[in-house]
Amino acid sequence: MTKIKKWQAEDASALAKAINNKAVLDNLRDGIPFPHSEKDSAEYIEAMTSADPNNTFAFAITLNDEVIGSIGAFRGVNIHNRTAEIGYYIAQEHWGKGITTQAVRLLCDYIFENTNIIRLYAEPFAHNIASCKVLEKAGFTYEGTLHSNAVKNGKVIDMKMYSFTIDN
Ligand SMILES: CC(C)(COP(=O)(O)OP(=O)(O)OC[C@H]1O[C@@H](n2cnc3c(N)ncnc32)[C@H](O)[C@@H]1OP(=O)(O)O)[C@@H](O)C(=O)NCCC(=O)NCCS
């Protein structure tokens, strides 16, 4: 059974196992260390658990109570402070079983029930079909393509904008 839960220090080793994989990191923004040690994961968990709980909503994704990934919503600033960007990944051995779709649904429920956020959005790379499908299956609306919006691994890439608003 898929659940999301607040991070705990003891999750560092499981988190490192999930993210120490180029196939995962190639679909995320830059800045995450690779190779990824348990210490790197411990630092991430510490940053999440000490962040302002009104702005950072970071969870482990668990399958049968074992940590297999990460998901979060991060509140915007200024005029965007009632919107939040979401991000997620899970260990490659668990891809394709519907787990992240379920985690995204759980995150959306949590955010709309517990915060004043009115819009969640995600910007997957346009070629990341799995992530786009996750968002579509979880009820997000495709709003358009952001052309030449990033450079990843030396390549100019398009990104797609998806949103889920409280009145969806
Ligand atoms: C993207 C990611 C989170 C998806 O997680 P997941 O648990 O495998 O997702 P789900 O199983 O819920 O849904 C994935 C869907 O995409 C489909 N899919 C995957 N690769 C595909 C491809 N190349 N072409 C078409 N469909 C594809 C799957 O079949 C599934 O659809 P289905 O349920 O209709 O069969 C996971 O692949 C991952 O961690 N990737 C690396 C990090 C990443 O991309 N994060 C998101 C950044 S925006």
Side-chain angles (χ1 to χ4, degrees):
M1 184 184 185
T2 304
K3 292 189 202 160
I4 60 175
K5 65 150 203 156
K6 297 257 166 79
W7 286 108
Q8 294 168 281
E10 67 247 35
D11 299 328
S13 134
L15 177 62
K17 265 192 220 144
I19 197 164
N20 188 32
N21 177 353
K22 192 121 185 345
V24 171
L25 290 169
D26 279 348
N27 286 294
L28 303 180
R29 291 193 175 135
D30 291 341
I32 300 170
F34 182 76
H36 201 95
S37 66
E38 190 172 326
K39 184 166 171 281
D40 295 321
S41 285
E43 282 171 11
Y44 174 79
I45 291 172
E46 164 63 21
M48 292 302 104
T49 52
S50 59
D52 182 341
N54 193 39
N55 295 333
T56 297
F57 309 93
F59 299 91
I61 300 173
T62 65
L63 179 66
N64 302 329
D65 297 324
E66 272 188 41
V67 172
I68 60 156
S70 174
I71 190 165
F74 305 92
R75 190 191 285 275
V77 296
N78 199 295
I79 58 170
H80 301 297
N81 95 327
R82 292 187 67 192
T83 79
E85 181 174 18
I86 72 162
Y88 43 78
Y89 57 84
I90 65 169
Q92 190 167 8
E93 68 195 275
H94 296 292
W95 289 3
K97 302 180 200 160
I99 293 169
T100 307
T101 302
Q102 185 57 22
V104 169
R105 290 190 182 120
L106 292 169
L107 179 70
C108 292
D109 289 348
Y110 178 90
I111 295 293
F112 292 137
E113 279 165 22
N114 294 286
T115 78
N116 69 348
I117 288 169
I118 53 174
R119 170 186 166 92
L120 292 168
Y121 70 95
E123 295 178 359
F125 301 156
H127 60 256
N128 190 349
I129 295 170
S131 186
C132 295
K133 280 200 82 173
V134 163
L135 294 163
E136 283 158 17
K137 288 192 295 173
F140 279 62
T141 302
Y142 167 65
E143 294 186 329
T145 295
L146 311 171
H147 296 280
S148 302
N149 193 45
V151 178
K152 180 72 184 179
N153 294 336
K155 286 200 184 119
V156 176
I157 54 166
D158 295 345
M159 294 168 84
K160 290 189 175 182
M161 173 63 85
Y162 284 89
S163 76
F164 193 105
T165 57
I166 194 159
D167 47 13
N168 252 25

